[in-house]
Amino acid sequence: MGKILVGGTLLLVIFVGVFRQRIFLRDPLGKMQRNGVAVDGARLFINFSNDVLVEEPGTERRYLVQGWSGVPGVPQILGCVQGVACWTDADHAAVFPLDGRGAGKRAVMSAKEVTFVDETGADVRVELR
């Protein structure tokens, strides 16, 4: 039994190491604001490179902002374990660009904060902890 547990743990560590750009883990201390107003219940996920995945409560809205492109979008392929982790299809995940007033505008990203304009023109600010 011990060998199976050690082997499984080793495989999990290798899997996470190889796919660290695709795996987004929940940031329970992160916060989101829309036009300066806190959004209660927003779920924030980050990966190894501090790319950000945001799920808004009560809506189907999901935004993905990746450091390599800086352009916010909606992930085309995304799998999730409810409230714990999500994963994308590739290291540079395919996204549908945002339509509307926020289309094509790059996000401003740092290790602690991401700001961007969504499809409605609202300023979205994400604080990472």
Side-chain angles (χ1 to χ4, degrees), residues 14-126:
I14 292 170
F15 179 80
V16 169
V18 170
F19 294 109
R20 66 183 177 265
Q21 297 295 97
R22 299 178 190 198
I23 299 171
F24 289 78
L25 298 177
R26 176 90 186 264
D27 180 1
L29 300 177
K31 297 181 181 179
M32 176 184 172
Q33 295 178 355
R34 179 178 294 286
N35 288 331
V37 177
V39 177
D40 293 329
R43 293 186 201 155
L44 308 175
F45 300 84
I46 58 173
N47 71 357
F48 179 78
S49 299
N50 281 343
D51 298 339
V52 176
L53 174 67
V54 179
E55 287 184 345
E56 284 198 56
T59 69
E60 294 295 319
R61 287 191 221 172
R62 289 183 174 160
Y63 301 109
L64 177 61
V65 183
Q66 301 171 90
W68 67 271
S69 73
V71 178
V74 177
Q76 290 183 9
I77 300 173
L78 184 69
C80 290
V81 175
Q82 189 67 24
V84 177
C86 293
W87 57 91
T88 60
D89 60 331
D91 289 351
H92 293 177
V95 296
F96 295 110
L98 297 179
D99 295 330
R101 290 178 257 175
K105 294 183 181 176
R106 292 182 54 87
V108 176
M109 298 181 76
S110 72
K112 297 285 183 186
E113 182 177 287
V114 176
T115 57
F116 62 94
V117 177
D118 73 1
E119 72 278 3
T120 65
D123 292 319
V124 177
R125 179 174 181 242
V126 176

